[in-house]
Amino acid sequence: MVAAADQSKNNDSGIFAPLTHAVFRNMWLSNTVSNTGGLIQTVAAAWIMTSISTADHVALVQTATFLPMALFALPAGAIADIYDRRKVQLLFFFLSLVAAALMTIVSLLGLITPWILLGLCFLVGSGSALSAPARGASIAEQVPKGLLSQAVALNNISFNLARSLGPAIGGLIVLAFGATAAFAINAISFIPMLESLRRWKREPEVSRLPPERLVRSINSGLRYVLNMQPVRRAMGRAFIFCLLAAALPSLMPLIARDLLLGNAGTFGLLLGAFGVGAVCGIFVLHPMRAKIGNENTLRLCCLIIAGSLLGLAYSRSVILDFLLLMIAGMGWMISTTAISVLVQLLVPRWVTGRAIASCSASFTLGVAVGSWLWGLVAKDYGLVLALEGAAAGLVLSLLLGYFLPVADRTESTELDEQLADDPDVKLGISGRSGPISIELQYRIAEEQARDFYNLMRQQQQVRSRNGAYGWSISRDIADPERWLERFSCPTWHDYLRLRGRRTIEESELHRQAVRMHIGTEPIKVSRWLNRPAGSVRWRDDAPDRGDEALHIES
């Protein structure tokens, strides 16, 4: 009861409650400084591109910045779940610092060309992309569980707060001191984050099993996402939304130059207005989600951004554009944060990094592809038509709500902390022995057959996303009350990981199956080693390593 009360208290806390926790506060402030430096660099790079190349290359600055997240998200997510998240962030933030310093040197020497600039933007973005899942997954270690949704929202608002300041500052720096100074400031902005990470005394997580290898970890993360329908739908909607709405940030330099006849300062102020709107969105995000749900929130944001795009297409007033971009920034922040929060609430801790990475990949891939697409449209058909086309696409995307609705969730998914009994093992096997097949024999009353079958279909999704393959359910034609569930795991370690990945909700499915089981005997569980060549002594004088293998596994 006390834990429940604490949880309720945390859930009712204000949006800024996570900042009362010192580790999160230090990380958040440092991250805001780093994000501000990144936006200063983006303004400088985009404005330089407007003076040395065409509209499609201008839009490609956004593509080069966001493409690394799409390309490296899954490996980065796997790395975040396998290795120490603090050390992962230290390594990749340092990579970004080195890349930003290289950009500064190249600019200082006057070697900037369109493709060199795009390549350096890609390199700086790679460090940020590789560190992002570890940063997102670390939030749950820095605040209580009840404050997770507020902390995720604050983490997203860090970028938008930087977007309200960084572009304006960047535009002024470019006008006063040139792009090289802006690039140098971005390099320096990584230092506070590196220092905060150095001072964070993270408690290492203890596991009974060795970590998964990188490729297998990526596969398990993909498998989980593909077998989790609410996550899959949310990421699909995120990609489509960003694909269409990407016209807004990618074409903003052209809006400043061609429609408003402005300079780098104008562009920076437009970006700043977008960021101010995003910051304001944090105050309406949670009330809106609670009142109308995630699906209606996303629909409303699509309409808001579509209206803003149409207004920007026909406006020639700087003040009106500021107002439109503030409204658009609010819609962008609310929609993307709502999906990010939902994904983190839907997945358990063991796969958080990979889920965050997959979600980020859907966002950034949408922005990267959309920026390239709308840049081509603007080049071939004009800026106004590109803005109109993006607005029309966002309006049409409302129909997706009937086919791919976004789910609602208010509580985080927790692993079942109750340890299962250790399997009975008398055969000499190691962690790499496999494949392992598991059979569960149930006895179910005939009048409950349909309910049991439907329950098993839910169980199939649980087994599949947690690491099993080849799942099947069978019924004895000679004894209709007898059912057999069978699935396999690649290795013994994979099976043990599957047993430890069950959430509280998934455990309840198993308990329902147990309650439906009839008869005096409990559910019979059999575990089989397929192709057991490694467990057989082919010669009498070969050593029997069974005892050693069992000792290792225990």
Side-chain angles (χ1 to χ4, degrees):
M1 293 295 291
V2 174
D6 291 341
Q7 180 82 0
S8 176
K9 181 179 179 181
N10 284 332
N11 283 328
D12 293 337
S13 298
I15 185 64
F16 298 108
L19 295 176
T20 60
H21 298 270
V23 174
F24 178 81
R25 182 174 64 250
N26 293 337
M27 293 293 185
W28 188 85
L29 291 172
S30 301
N31 199 40
T32 303
V33 171
S34 177
N35 286 333
T36 303
L39 267 296
I40 291 173
Q41 173 206 283
T42 299
V43 170
W47 194 253
I48 286 178
M49 192 66 82
T50 62
S51 61
I52 64 175
S53 193
T54 56
D56 55 335
H57 281 144
V58 174
L60 280 176
V61 171
Q62 287 287 320
T63 300
T65 302
F66 287 98
L67 187 60
M69 181 64 76
L71 295 178
F72 304 138
L74 289 176
I79 290 170
D81 285 332
I82 294 173
Y83 302 107
D84 188 307
R85 289 163 181 162
R86 170 182 166 274
K87 295 179 180 178
V88 169
Q89 292 177 78
L90 278 170
L91 173 63
F92 291 127
F93 272 113
F94 182 75
L95 172 64
S96 290
L97 187 154
V98 172
L102 180 61
M103 180 180 286
T104 305
I105 294 171
V106 171
S107 177
L108 185 64
L109 297 176
L111 301 177
I112 290 288
T113 66
W115 289 107
I116 289 178
L117 181 60
L118 291 174
L120 290 171
C121 288
F122 180 88
L123 191 59
V124 175
S126 296
S128 299
L130 290 165
S131 62
R135 168 68 187 131
S138 297
I139 294 175
E141 304 177 39
Q142 298 165 4
V143 298
K145 295 176 182 178
L147 295 178
L148 180 61
S149 62
Q150 292 97 317
V152 172
L154 280 172
N155 196 48
N156 287 347
I157 205 62
S158 170
F159 177 76
N160 292 295
L161 181 61
R163 183 150 47 186
S164 66
L165 300 174
I169 297 173
L172 293 175
I173 291 173
V174 172
L175 283 176
F177 305 104
T180 302
F183 296 152
I185 290 173
N186 181 43
I188 295 171
S189 71
F190 290 105
I191 295 176
M193 176 57 79
L194 291 171
E195 176 61 17
S196 295
L197 288 167
R198 187 190 68 81
R199 294 171 58 186
W200 178 25
K201 305 302 181 183
R202 179 179 184 264
E203 295 184 8
E205 298 179 6
V206 179
S207 175
R208 301 175 64 189
L209 298 172
E212 291 180 288
R213 295 187 178 183
L214 182 60
V215 174
R216 180 159 290 183
S217 180
I218 293 173
N219 289 338
S220 65
L222 276 173
R223 180 181 57 240
Y224 192 94
V225 169
L226 292 175
N227 285 282
M228 188 71 168
Q229 187 186 66
V231 174
R232 191 170 65 242
R233 287 180 173 177
M235 291 182 181
R237 294 291 296 279
F239 170 78
I240 295 171
F241 171 80
C242 289
L243 176 73
L244 299 170
L248 190 61
S250 64
L251 300 179
M252 207 178 297
L254 300 178
I255 294 173
R257 187 192 67 181
D258 299 341
L259 300 184
L260 298 178
L261 304 178
N263 53 26
T266 307
F267 172 49
L269 290 173
L270 291 181
L271 277 175
F274 188 83
V276 169
V279 172
C280 295
I282 192 66
F283 298 103
V284 298
L285 170 65
H286 292 287
M288 184 180 293
R289 289 178 62 230
K291 188 172 183 178
I292 65 175
N294 287 328
E295 176 58 41
N296 288 328
T297 295
L298 183 58
R299 291 180 181 182
L300 180 59
C301 291
C302 286
L303 290 175
I304 288 173
I305 295 178
S308 299
L309 285 167
L310 287 176
L312 291 168
Y314 297 106
S315 169
R316 300 298 181 265
S317 167
V318 174
I319 296 176
L320 179 57
D321 279 18
F322 285 174
L323 295 175
L324 290 171
L325 285 169
M326 287 180 64
I327 296 171
M330 184 180 298
W332 185 291
M333 185 273 169
I334 291 172
S335 56
T336 54
T337 303
I339 293 177
S340 297
V341 170
L342 173 65
V343 169
Q344 291 210 40
L345 292 176
L346 283 170
V347 301
R349 179 82 174 273
W350 68 269
V351 76
T352 300
R354 282 160 285 186
I356 291 172
S358 299
C359 186
S360 298
S362 64
F363 285 128
T364 53
L365 184 62
V367 172
V369 175
S371 297
W372 170 74
L373 172 67
W374 297 118
L376 290 179
V377 173
K379 178 185 177 183
D380 294 337
Y381 301 101
L383 176 58
V384 172
L385 185 60
L387 295 173
E388 291 173 341
L394 283 167
V395 173
L396 290 174
S397 71
L398 299 180
L399 298 174
L400 292 173
Y402 298 102
F403 308 103
L404 298 173
V406 178
D408 291 310
R409 190 179 180 90
T410 57
E411 297 180 354
S412 59
T413 299
E414 301 294 337
L415 288 174
D416 189 348
E417 300 293 344
Q418 183 176 356
L419 295 176
D421 295 335
D422 290 335
D424 185 16
V425 181
K426 293 184 172 61
L427 183 65
I429 59 175
S430 69
R432 291 179 294 178
S433 297
I436 304 294
S437 293
I438 298 89
E439 293 180 351
L440 292 88
Q441 295 185 30
Y442 304 88
R443 183 161 290 278
I444 306 298
E446 292 191 54
E447 61 270 18
Q448 289 190 297
R450 184 177 298 277
D451 293 337
F452 180 75
Y453 178 76
N454 292 332
L455 181 65
M456 286 294 102
R457 293 304 299 269
Q458 296 180 60
Q459 190 74 282
Q460 177 189 11
Q461 294 297 316
V462 172
R463 307 283 194 204
S464 297
R465 64 176 174 250
N466 286 340
Y469 68 91
W471 183 92
S472 66
I473 186 72
S474 307
R475 192 178 185 186
D476 191 338
I477 59 176
D479 184 0
E481 289 186 345
R482 186 166 174 259
W483 293 73
L484 178 66
E485 180 190 9
R486 183 181 176 91
F487 59 91
S488 299
C489 294
T491 67
W492 179 246
H493 271 167
D494 288 314
Y495 171 62
L496 295 179
R497 290 190 182 99
L498 179 144
R499 286 163 54 88
R501 288 171 174 171
R502 204 159 53 188
T503 66
I504 294 175
E505 294 171 356
E506 293 167 355
S507 293
E508 179 57 29
L509 289 177
H510 177 70
R511 284 190 285 269
Q512 289 181 38
V514 171
R515 288 193 292 267
M516 297 176 74
H517 177 74
I518 61 175
T520 57
E521 296 293 328
I523 296 172
K524 183 179 180 181
V525 181
S526 301
R527 302 173 182 90
W528 302 85
L529 174 63
N530 300 342
R531 298 175 304 189
S535 64
V536 177
R537 290 188 297 161
W538 299 115
R539 298 187 308 175
D540 290 338
D541 58 348
D544 186 352
R545 300 184 62 187
D547 292 340
E548 177 184 350
L550 287 174
H551 178 69
I552 292 174
E553 294 310 311
S554 62

